[in-house]
């Protein structure tokens, strides 16, 4: 069973459905507001756990009601929370609007996530893990410390640069696998991505900047893998009725990494992750919508695909 450590964010997602997005100065009514546990670090931890990994999540919560709730939910998933921090600020919040097409807009109020500092990582036994998963919702100096530790101890680094961030060639060299969506890839490369050829051009540019392996998630257009030997693997998305895309990328990442650590071939890993993400968009909420390994296997079996 793969053993993964995730150092990242946990948020309470406050999600309101809207008929359309307001213009500047406009006030609109939202319909149906819900509270869901989220945050890219916590989401990817749960996706990896439900795909069959042992997961240790290191993050920071506020000493408040939302913090207690998020802690309880992660514990119920049997995620290792040893070293989880409580800070004297509010728990991270994500203010999310979801439109009729299931697409979302997110405003983050990082709260305790911004207080997760390099000194909070002193007790971690890095060698106990095969891989570390990182995103961009905690201070950069903390991510930089994890990158240094991981390289020093020889564990694999999977980085999801979300929200988008510029990465130097030196940083890219510290990352084994970069997984990002089309918007994040455009921010790294300045290449607008509307179709698969532009996605390939962006992936190639990221490899030329110093990445070893990169995956672009492209929503309904599927996903694309490229490595520094310029090998390319494409995987279509599984069409499904979209209710809420929040956390779909996190589902893809957490589940992909587990299959990848199990040394499955890249196309099988992409198919598994795409199936998990498809199931996730068919239900409201981020973590709440993430499927178990058995659910993904059943979905793939319906499509005539076997999970080995
Ligand atoms: O990727 C989705 C997540 O982004 C949400 O759960 C929200 O908390 C933000 O971190």
């Amino acid at each position: 069973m793969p053993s993964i450590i995730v150092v990242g964010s946990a948020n309470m997602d406050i999600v309101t459905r809207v008929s359309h997005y307001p213009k500047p100065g406009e006030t609109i009514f939202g319909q149906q507001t819900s509270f869901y546990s989220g945050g890219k670090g916590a989401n990817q931890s749960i996706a990896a756990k439900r795909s069959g990994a042992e997961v240790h999540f290191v993050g920071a919560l506020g000493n408040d009601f939302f913090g207690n709730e998020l802690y309880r939910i992660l514990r119920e998933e049997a995620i290792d929370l040893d070293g989880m921090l409580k800070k004297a600020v509010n728990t991270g919040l994500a203010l999310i609007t979801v439109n009729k097409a299931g697409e979302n807009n997110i405003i983050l109020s990082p709260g305790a996530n911004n207080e997760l500092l390099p000194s909070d990582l002193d007790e971690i036994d890095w060698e106990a893990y095969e891989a570390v998963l990182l995103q961009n919702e905690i201070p950069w100096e903390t991510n930089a410390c994890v990158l240094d530790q991981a390289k020093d101890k020889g564990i694999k680094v999977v980085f999801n640069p979300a929200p988008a961030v510029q990465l130097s060639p030196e940083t890219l060299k510290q990352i084994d696998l970069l997984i990002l969506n089309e918007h994040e890839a455009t921010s790294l490369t300045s290449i607008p991505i509307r179709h698969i050829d532009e996605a390939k051009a962006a992936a190639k540019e990221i490899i030329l900047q110093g990445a070893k392996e990169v995956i672009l998630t492209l929503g309904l257009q599927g996903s694309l893998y490229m490595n520094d030997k310029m090998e390319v693997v494409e995987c279509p998305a599984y069409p499904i009725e979209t209710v809420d895309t929040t956390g779909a990328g996190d589902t893809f990442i957490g589940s992909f990494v587990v299959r990848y650590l199990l040394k499955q071939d890249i196309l099988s890993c992409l198919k598994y992750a795409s199936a998990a993400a498809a199931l996730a968009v068919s239900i409201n909420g981020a973590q709440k919508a993430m499927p178990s390994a058995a659910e993904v296997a059943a979905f793939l079996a319906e499509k005539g695909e076997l999970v080995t």
Side-chain angles (χ1 to χ4, degrees):
M1 188 182 285
S3 171
I4 296 173
I5 180 163
V6 182
V7 181
S9 58
N11 296 323
M12 183 57 82
D13 292 351
I14 304 176
V15 185
T16 300
R17 297 200 78 96
V18 292
S19 56
H20 65 280
Y21 290 119
K23 297 189 220 33
E26 184 188 6
T27 301
I28 61 166
F29 284 106
Q31 304 122 17
Q32 183 195 325
T33 294
S34 311
F35 293 75
Y36 296 114
S37 50
K40 293 186 199 303
N43 292 349
Q44 292 176 24
S45 298
I46 289 184
K49 180 75 192 180
R50 291 190 190 161
S51 293
E54 282 301 337
V55 180
H56 182 180
F57 175 54
V58 177
L61 299 168
N63 200 2
D64 53 17
F65 174 77
F66 286 154
N68 294 342
E69 260 312 274
L70 297 182
Y71 189 88
R72 182 187 63 75
I73 289 164
L74 287 160
R75 169 128 290 170
E76 267 176 22
E77 291 282 337
I79 305 253
D80 179 356
L81 297 176
D82 198 22
M84 190 78 186
L85 298 146
K86 284 252 170 156
K87 303 279 183 172
V89 290
N90 66 283
T91 293
L93 294 176
L95 309 172
I96 303 181
T97 45
V98 178
N99 70 10
K100 279 187 184 155
E103 299 157 335
N104 62 49
N105 270 343
I106 304 182
I107 298 174
L108 289 176
S109 170
N113 296 306
N114 259 359
E115 309 280 316
L116 182 61
L117 302 175
S119 55
D120 293 323
L121 310 178
D122 288 350
E123 302 299 312
I124 295 174
D125 175 14
W126 297 99
E127 277 147 357
Y129 309 98
E130 284 170 69
V132 58
L133 255 68
L134 286 176
Q135 314 76 29
N136 191 35
E137 291 187 342
I138 57 172
W140 181 255
E141 74 242 38
T142 308
N143 273 345
C145 170
V146 175
L147 290 172
D148 289 345
Q149 289 292 337
K151 281 302 101 181
D152 198 40
K153 307 290 178 339
I155 76 167
K156 258 193 189 314
V157 175
V158 180
F159 184 53
N160 169 222
V165 62
Q166 294 303 312
L167 299 170
S168 68
E170 293 69 38
T171 300
L172 280 170
K173 286 193 183 85
Q174 290 183 296
I175 296 165
D176 295 289
L177 171 62
L178 194 69
I179 310 184
L180 66 178
N181 69 20
E182 63 271 47
H183 309 293
E184 291 139 12
T186 296
S187 235
L188 261 186
T189 61
S190 304
I191 297 175
I193 301 174
R194 288 153 302 207
H195 52 72
I196 194 76
D197 288 338
E198 288 169 340
K200 278 185 196 160
K204 185 172 174 191
E205 170 61 24
I206 295 169
I207 294 287
L208 293 175
Q209 287 176 16
K212 298 182 192 76
E213 293 182 282
V214 60
I215 293 173
L216 263 59
T217 56
L218 304 165
L220 295 174
Q221 296 195 68
S223 53
L224 173 79
Y225 166 94
M226 192 179 283
N227 64 17
D228 55 6
K229 297 186 193 91
M230 298 299 167
E231 290 165 333
V232 174
V233 182
E234 287 176 52
C235 180
Y238 292 101
I240 198 161
E241 195 190 334
T242 301
V243 174
D244 179 3
T245 56
T246 312
D250 299 326
T251 307
F252 184 101
I253 293 165
S255 53
F256 180 91
V257 169
V258 174
R259 307 305 294 179
Y260 177 82
L261 293 175
L262 287 170
K263 309 263 186 293
Q264 302 288 302
D265 65 277
I266 295 294
L267 183 59
S268 305
C269 298
L270 290 175
K271 282 183 177 176
Y272 183 95
S274 303
L279 287 167
V281 302
S282 68
I283 299 174
N284 276 313
Q287 295 166 18
K288 193 172 157 279
M290 289 172 177
S292 65
E295 287 166 330
V296 177
F299 178 86
L300 283 169
E302 259 178 43
K303 313 270 169 218
E305 315 239 17
L306 278 185
V307 177
T308 48

